[in-house]
Amino acid sequence: MAYIIGIILVIIALIIIGLILRKRVYDVVDKYEAWKMDIMDRNIASQLGRIKSLNLSGETQEKFEAWKERLEFILTKELPDIEEHLFDAEEAADRYRFSKAKKTLNNTEKVLYSIENDIEKMLKEVDDLLESEETSRTEATNIEPNIKALRKALSQNRYQYGKAERYFDLKIDELEEKLATYYDLVSTGDYYEAKQTIDDLKVSLEGLEQQIDEFPAIYKMCRHELPTQLDELYAGLKEMKKDGYRVDHLAFEKEIRAYKEQLLDTVNKLESGDTSGIEEMVTEIDERVKEMYQLLEKEAIAKNYVESQMPSFRDSVDQLSNTFQDTKTEVEQLKQTYYFEDSDMESYLALDKRISSLKSQLEELSNDMETADISHSQLREELENGFVQIEELQQNHEEFKKRIQNLRKDEIEAKEKLREMRGELYDTSRKLKKSNIPGVPTFIWNMIETASEKNSRVVKALEKQPLDMAEVQHALNESKKAIDNVIEQTDMMLEQAYLTEQVIQYANRYRSQYPLLAAQLSESERLFRSYEYELALEKAAKAVEEIEPGALKRIEAYQEVEVTHSS
């Protein structure tokens, strides 16, 4: 029983699926039927008929016949065939032959798409043809008066074009012939070719208009203006030579002749209608002519500069030479008294060499001014360089004179410093003699003796001939160090001695109470009398600090107050 029910359910399911698939086929059939009816309802023939406004001959007639034939085939053959295919699909679906129905519908869809594409293509070609005709007609309407205006302008300004007028006349004739060709093509229905012709004509017209518009200026430049400028430049060049200007090195005559020949060839090219590369050539010649004028002007200015500044240069060289000669005399005198450093002698010899070279340069400039081999521009450069050298040499000369003057100044300062150091040494000795200490330690006297010897070395260095200030300065520095050391050690020794006395006096109050302190103080007094002031201070300070910590600092503070008051 269950088996029978299952079979029944499967049969029912198959029936339902069949019905669904058949419904789908019917839907597609309805869709394609509607599509077919839509195509049939379109007024395609009237849209194709728009072309009848044109001249139906030649290429246009051929296209129209082809479109008409294709449309007729669609309406009489392909669309009725589609009706039959749709009926076959429905019949196959009724018999549940869905595979056949699907195949038939796919073929039908392809045919419909092909029909749509062909219709779209035909209508687009119609639109393109109509648009092309309208555009071409508009362009031709605008071009025709422009050609007439161009011929009129050429006729009214013939003198501006010279022999090139004939060339431009022929070019305008060619434009008119192209325009006539356009009308012929239109009359025969060849609208696409007519459109190409009118497009080419428009480009040719624009190019010719530009060429005719620009030609007079270039022609005038090549025939009149540039040759006139070159003639004036050549005449000016000759005049400058006559007036003594040195312009041969510029070699302008040859260049001017070459340009004039080039311009003659250019005029011939222009009169034959060839303008290629001429504008660039004209610009190049024009810029070169301006450059030539600038170079000639530069030469003229240079000549005036050289002639006006040469006397000043000669006077400056002579003045520098004379002042350096005085310096040379002074150096020879000073060399007998002073020793010159190597660096100073190198500077002196370099100055001598450069000033001699400058004098030679002056002679060369003087000779060059008498000959015509060197341009005034080059002479000016050399003269300006000479003035720079003079300024530099004057500065170096002044610096050297200051250095040799400092030799005497350094000697005077060295003697004054020696006198000051002797005074310091004398004051130190006097301070020692006036002190109330038992005696002066031997090392202090040795240091004083060493300082005295170093002073003597300074004296000997100052007495040498020639005087070597480097040696004097070295001796001064050594002596200064020795004297400063004497003063420092003397002041320290006297301070220690005085502080030792103060500590011993302060500690005496404890002497009777502390036998050990009394013994240490006795030892300190012995060292004090033996001039061992540092050891004496150390011994006394240690003894009193053991009894009264901090006593040494109070004694030192008191001593500083006393020293301040006494000073």
Side-chain angles (χ1 to χ4, degrees), residues 221-222 226-227 229-230 233 255-256 258-264 266 278-292:
M221 197 76 171
C222 294
L226 283 178
Q229 290 181 30
L230 290 171
L233 180 62
E255 195 172 356
I256 290 171
Y259 280 142
K260 292 186 72 174
E261 293 176 2
Q262 189 176 357
L263 286 171
L264 286 175
T266 301
I278 292 178
E279 187 174 355
E280 293 78 6
M281 183 271 294
V282 167
T283 302
E284 178 186 340
I285 295 178
D286 185 50
E287 290 177 353
R288 180 56 180 160
V289 169
K290 292 176 182 177
E291 184 181 356
M292 289 178 178

Side-chain angles (χ1 to χ4, degrees), residues 104-146:
T104 302
L105 290 175
N106 286 339
N107 291 333
T108 302
E109 183 182 32
K110 289 179 181 178
V111 173
L112 285 169
Y113 271 117
S114 175
I115 292 171
E116 285 286 4
N117 290 334
D118 288 347
I119 292 173
E120 184 179 352
K121 182 180 178 182
M122 283 189 292
L123 295 179
K124 185 177 185 305
E125 287 178 352
V126 170
D127 291 339
D128 289 346
L129 183 59
L130 291 172
E131 183 182 356
S132 174
E133 185 278 333
E134 183 181 359
T135 303
S136 300
R137 182 162 32 86
T138 304
E139 292 286 355
T141 303
N142 294 331
I143 285 174
E144 189 169 359
N146 288 344

Side-chain angles (χ1 to χ4, degrees), residues 394-424:
Q394 286 174 339
Q395 182 178 350
N396 293 342
H397 186 207
E398 288 300 319
E399 291 174 356
F400 179 76
K401 288 199 306 185
K402 287 180 181 179
R403 286 202 297 274
I404 62 175
Q405 289 169 2
N406 285 339
L407 288 174
R408 292 171 176 167
K409 180 181 177 183
D410 290 345
E411 180 187 6
I412 294 171
E413 290 179 353
K415 290 179 178 179
E416 179 64 27
K417 188 175 289 187
L418 176 62
R419 188 161 43 251
E420 291 176 2
M421 290 191 301
R422 281 177 167 173
E424 291 175 348

Side-chain angles (χ1 to χ4, degrees), residues 185-226:
L185 291 169
V186 170
S187 65
T188 58
D190 294 326
Y191 290 101
Y192 285 114
E193 190 175 349
K195 176 67 167 58
Q196 183 62 48
T197 301
I198 207 68
D199 288 342
D200 293 342
L201 177 58
K202 182 180 178 182
V203 173
S204 300
L205 176 60
E206 290 174 351
L208 187 60
E209 284 176 337
Q210 182 178 358
Q211 193 175 5
I212 289 176
D213 183 57
E214 294 175 352
F215 184 90
I218 297 176
Y219 185 68
K220 182 181 179 182
M221 197 76 171
C222 294
R223 186 175 179 84
H224 300 293
E225 293 182 3
L226 283 178

Side-chain angles (χ1 to χ4, degrees), residues 139-300:
E139 292 286 355
T141 303
N142 294 331
I143 285 174
E144 189 169 359
N146 288 344
I147 294 176
K148 291 180 180 179
L150 193 61
R151 188 181 291 281
K152 182 179 179 181
L154 180 65
S155 176
Q156 290 176 346
N157 300 283
R158 293 181 181 279
Y159 68 95
Q160 295 183 359
Y161 297 90
K163 295 180 181 179
E165 176 209 351
R166 176 173 174 74
Y167 166 80
F168 290 120
D169 265 336
L170 292 174
K171 286 295 181 182
I172 294 175
D173 290 344
E174 291 177 5
L175 295 181
E176 290 177 340
E177 289 175 4
K178 281 188 177 181
L179 185 61
T181 300
Y182 162 76
Y183 286 121
D184 290 342
L185 291 169
V186 170
S187 65
T188 58
D190 294 326
Y191 290 101
Y192 285 114
E193 190 175 349
K195 176 67 167 58
Q196 183 62 48
T197 301
I198 207 68
D199 288 342
D200 293 342
L201 177 58
K202 182 180 178 182
V203 173
S204 300
L205 176 60
E206 290 174 351
L208 187 60
E209 284 176 337
Q210 182 178 358
Q211 193 175 5
I212 289 176
D213 183 57
E214 294 175 352
F215 184 90
I218 297 176
Y219 185 68
K220 182 181 179 182
M221 197 76 171
C222 294
R223 186 175 179 84
H224 300 293
E225 293 182 3
L226 283 178
T228 300
Q229 290 181 30
L230 290 171
D231 289 339
E232 291 175 352
L233 180 62
Y234 189 81
L237 198 62
K238 292 293 185 183
E239 187 68 25
M240 289 184 72
K241 282 187 178 182
K242 184 179 178 182
D243 292 341
Y245 291 95
R246 301 174 184 179
V247 293
D248 288 336
H249 68 287
L250 299 173
F252 283 167
E253 292 94 337
K254 182 178 179 181
E255 195 172 356
I256 290 171
R257 286 194 294 270
Y259 280 142
K260 292 186 72 174
E261 293 176 2
Q262 189 176 357
L263 286 171
L264 286 175
D265 294 338
T266 301
V267 170
N268 292 332
K269 284 179 64 177
L270 286 171
E271 289 179 343
S272 66
D274 185 3
T275 59
S276 59
I278 292 178
E279 187 174 355
E280 293 78 6
M281 183 271 294
V282 167
T283 302
E284 178 186 340
I285 295 178
D286 185 50
E287 290 177 353
R288 180 56 180 160
V289 169
K290 292 176 182 177
E291 184 181 356
M292 289 178 178
Y293 273 114
Q294 290 175 354
L295 291 172
L296 291 176
E297 183 180 3
K298 179 182 177 183
E299 185 63 26

